[in-house]
């Protein structure tokens, strides 16, 4: 009598083979689905963090690793709350989605990275539910907003500059002529035959103050309606040295010792020497003003091939480093905005002028600081010859030249 297969305890060899093949097919298809899922998450520009209903992190993609500065292994299975102890807004977002089951969005979240630095991100948290509507967890999508913020600030800055141009032209027109009239009248008074010599002191104050006002108007006008740089190949170190020579007395009086750390292989830059001098004069003066009790001011140069911030061009990089007060992140955002100043009697135009000069040269600049320890202003200026034959891995051994002889 034939044995029915379901009654058997054992399988014959061909059935085992068939089952094994089926198993292999299934595990291959699971593996390919897993790889597909990983590729999908890996190719997203947005950071993705998946949180289990119990609050543990299930997975994060490479974009989220990069944004947070932490590796996926460090996240795996750890409570979300524990991984972001200082990011209240982010935790709040996830908590709200857990509680309400709805999607929540915040475009202005401050994320603390592993190295302690901060980055502004946008975050969207949504519920992952299965076919029956049961919650399977939360998906959190995060995106770096730094670029957008910078763009916003740039637009704001150029709006201000455009407004400033209009105001300056109006001011110049309305003020220049009356100023000239005032000056002329004061001088005519002095020339009157019966003019008492004792009053000459007053008329000279009028003339002096009128001259000061005229100079301010001229400076404002030249800033608001720049003539544009006249570019030529020039030696950056010569420009810096001539500037330091001119500034030697004020530097000495302020008890500031300049350390020159020049890269002797630095090729020529394509620049307007007068504007570059103005640029570094502003940076040096700010450095000096940040060190009321004196200190060291380092001026360091080096060469950089294909600088990302300058459209891949070869550039000279100059750093002006002081040991002054530094600035906090709130000030950092506003440094280059015209009329932003924290100094009594400051104009707030110095760094705005620097930025305009650098951008007119096709360069870039940034400022970093450790509050209380000092600041570093970094400037990138394109080289005259883009094919300059310096090794791509050129590692400068700074010729430490110290102060000017
Ligand atoms: N080297 C520096 N260290 C600290 N803060 C600085 C430095 N340079 C600039 N700042 C800050 O940026 C502001 C704007 O600088 P700037 O545009 O040169 O205008 P001003 O020097 O007239 O204030 C300063 O008031 C100061 O708060
Ligand atoms: Mg200044």
């Amino acid at each position: 009598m034939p044995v029915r297969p379901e009654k058997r305890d054992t399988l014959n060899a061909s059935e085992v083979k068939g089952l094994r093949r089926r198993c292999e097919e299934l595990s291959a298809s699971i593996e390919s689905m897993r790889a597909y899922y990983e590729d999908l998450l890996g190719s997203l520009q947005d950071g993705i963090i998946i949180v289990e209903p119990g609050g543990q992190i299930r997975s994060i993609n490479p974009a989220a690793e990069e944004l947070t500065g932490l590796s996926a292994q460090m996240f795996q299975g750890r409570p979300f709350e524990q991984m972001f102890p200082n990011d209240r807004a982010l935790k709040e977002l996830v908590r709200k989605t857990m509680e309400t089951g709805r999607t929540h969005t915040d475009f202005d979240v401050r994320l603390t990275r592993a190295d302690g630095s901060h980055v502004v991100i946008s975050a969207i948290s949504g519920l992952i539910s299965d076919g029956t509507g049961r919650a399977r967890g939360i998906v959190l999508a995060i995106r770096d907003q730094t670029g957008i913020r910078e763009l916003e600030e740039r637009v704001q800055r150029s709006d201000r500059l455009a407004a400033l141009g209009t105001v300056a032209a109006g001011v110049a027109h309305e003020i220049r002529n009356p100023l000239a009239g005032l000056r002329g009248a004061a001088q005519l008074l002095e020339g009157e035959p019966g003019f008492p010599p004792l009053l000459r002191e007053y008329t000279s104050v009028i003339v002096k103050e009128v001259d000061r006002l005229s100079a301010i108007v001229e400076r404002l006008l030249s800033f608001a309606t720049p003539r544009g740089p006249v570019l030529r190949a020039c030696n950056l170190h010569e420009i810096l040295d001539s500037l330091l020579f001119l500034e030697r007395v004020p530097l000495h009086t302020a008890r500031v010792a300049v350390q020159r750390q020049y890269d002797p292989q630095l090729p020529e830059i394509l620049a307007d020497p007068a504007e570059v001098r103005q640029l570094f004069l502003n940076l040096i003066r700010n450095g000096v003003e940040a060190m009321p009790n004196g200190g060291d001011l380092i001026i360091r140069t080096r060469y950089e091939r294909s600088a990302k911030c300058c459209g891949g061009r070869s550039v000279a990089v100059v750093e002006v480093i002081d040991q002054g007060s530094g600035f906090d992140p709130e000030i950092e955002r506003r440094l280059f905005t015209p009329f932003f100043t924290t100094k009594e009697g400051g104009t707030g135009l110095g760094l705005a002028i620097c930025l305009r000069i650098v951008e007119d040269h096709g360069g870039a600049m940034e400022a970093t600081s450790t509050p209380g320890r000092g600041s570093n202003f970094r400037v990138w200026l394109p080289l005259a010859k883009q094919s300059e034959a310096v090794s791509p891995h050129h590692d400068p051994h700074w010729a430490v030249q110290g102060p000017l002889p």
Side-chain angles (χ1 to χ4, degrees):
M1 191 178 148
V3 178
R4 302 234 303 267
E6 60 270 24
K7 291 273 170 75
R8 269 194 290 140
D9 294 344
T10 52
L11 299 170
N12 65 32
S14 90
E15 282 170 332
V16 169
K17 210 167 149 197
L19 271 179
R20 186 171 293 145
R21 197 173 336 111
R22 186 79 193 109
C23 259
E24 278 166 8
E25 277 168 14
L26 277 175
S27 77
S29 100
I30 289 172
E31 180 53 32
S32 113
M33 267 173 68
R34 200 187 59 79
Y36 179 77
Y37 166 77
E38 269 183 10
D39 287 349
L40 182 73
L41 283 180
S43 60
L44 286 177
Q45 303 269 310
D46 285 356
I48 301 288
I49 301 176
I50 295 175
V51 186
E52 308 254 21
Q56 280 86 7
I57 294 172
R58 180 176 178 143
S59 65
I60 83 160
N61 72 342
E65 285 184 293
E66 198 172 315
L67 249 177
T68 56
L70 290 166
S71 71
Q73 283 100 316
M74 298 174 89
F75 277 100
Q76 203 90 40
R78 301 270 298 274
F80 182 82
E81 301 256 327
Q82 206 182 73
M83 291 311 286
F84 299 97
N86 303 315
D87 302 313
R88 213 168 46 82
L90 202 62
K91 288 191 288 195
E92 187 64 8
L93 208 65
V94 171
R95 194 189 55 75
K96 278 200 291 199
T97 299
M98 290 235 185
E99 274 175 22
T100 63
R102 287 212 304 271
T103 299
H104 287 273
T105 310
D106 191 336
F107 290 106
D108 195 19
V109 178
R110 209 168 79 128
L111 177 78
T112 315
R113 306 189 72 241
D115 61 5
S117 63
H118 293 109
V119 54
V120 178
I121 58 163
S122 65
I124 303 174
S125 73
L127 200 70
I128 313 171
S129 51
D130 64 12
T132 66
R134 200 164 49 93
R136 299 190 60 183
I138 297 235
V139 57
L140 182 69
I142 53 178
R143 178 180 291 179
D144 189 350
Q145 294 287 86
T146 319
I148 291 176
R149 280 303 163 86
E150 275 169 6
L151 199 68
E152 275 173 8
E153 256 148 45
R154 250 181 131 111
V155 169
Q156 217 179 47
R157 240 180 355 239
S158 59
D159 275 357
R160 274 203 187 196
L161 287 184
L164 182 62
T166 316
V167 172
V171 165
H173 183 256
E174 293 296 322
I175 291 186
R176 258 175 170 175
N177 291 345
L179 280 182
L182 270 176
R183 192 179 201 281
Q187 283 176 326
L188 279 176
L189 261 180
E190 278 181 7
E192 281 293 306
F195 188 75
L198 266 177
L199 295 186
R200 193 153 296 211
E201 196 186 324
Y202 298 118
T203 48
S204 73
V205 168
I206 294 175
V207 171
K208 216 174 80 205
E209 288 301 303
V210 163
D211 286 347
R212 200 174 64 84
L213 281 176
S214 297
I216 292 177
V217 170
E218 291 309 319
R219 207 178 322 137
L220 196 64
L221 203 61
S222 78
F223 171 61
T225 49
R227 62 182 170 84
V230 183
L231 302 178
R232 65 175 173 81
C234 43
N235 182 320
L236 182 60
H237 295 154
E238 275 174 21
I239 297 178
L240 289 171
D241 281 351
S242 71
L243 177 59
L244 290 173
F245 183 74
L246 286 174
E247 285 293 293
R248 68 193 186 286
V249 176
L251 283 166
H252 180 76
T253 313
R255 284 178 293 150
V256 169
V258 175
Q259 294 298 326
R260 295 174 303 149
Q261 299 182 354
Y262 293 170
D263 174 0
Q265 284 198 50
L266 190 73
E268 289 186 315
I269 56 167
L270 188 65
D272 182 325
E275 296 223 322
V276 171
R277 194 169 294 123
Q278 178 72 54
L279 160 67
F280 289 108
L281 179 65
N282 291 357
L283 293 183
I284 290 170
R285 286 204 175 145
N286 276 348
V288 170
E289 281 159 8
M291 299 190 287
N293 301 319
D296 284 341
L297 187 78
I298 299 174
I299 301 182
R300 184 182 290 161
T301 66
R302 70 186 153 86
Y303 162 86
E304 195 175 308
R305 199 182 192 120
S306 58
K308 252 201 217 148
C309 58
C310 298
R313 293 211 272 170
S314 300
V315 293
V317 188
V318 190
E319 290 175 279
V320 180
I321 305 164
D322 65 59
Q323 303 173 314
S325 50
F327 42 80
D328 59 32
E330 190 44 44
I331 289 184
E332 185 180 334
R333 284 186 39 208
R334 305 171 65 193
L335 282 177
F336 298 100
T337 304
F339 302 117
F340 171 75
T341 180
T342 56
K343 295 172 197 168
E344 206 170 309
T347 63
L349 283 177
L351 289 176
I353 291 176
C354 289
L355 187 66
R356 200 208 64 222
I357 293 174
V358 164
E359 287 179 345
D360 282 352
H361 280 75
M365 76 182 287
E366 68 169 21
T368 49
S369 149
T370 312
R373 302 270 301 277
S375 320
N376 184 342
F377 284 79
R378 209 168 290 130
V379 174
W380 287 260
L381 291 170
L383 297 183
K385 283 194 200 139
Q386 283 302 310
S387 55
E388 203 67 58
V390 179
S391 141
H393 305 298
H394 171 58
D395 183 14
H397 294 287
W398 284 297
V400 180
Q401 304 182 12
L404 275 179

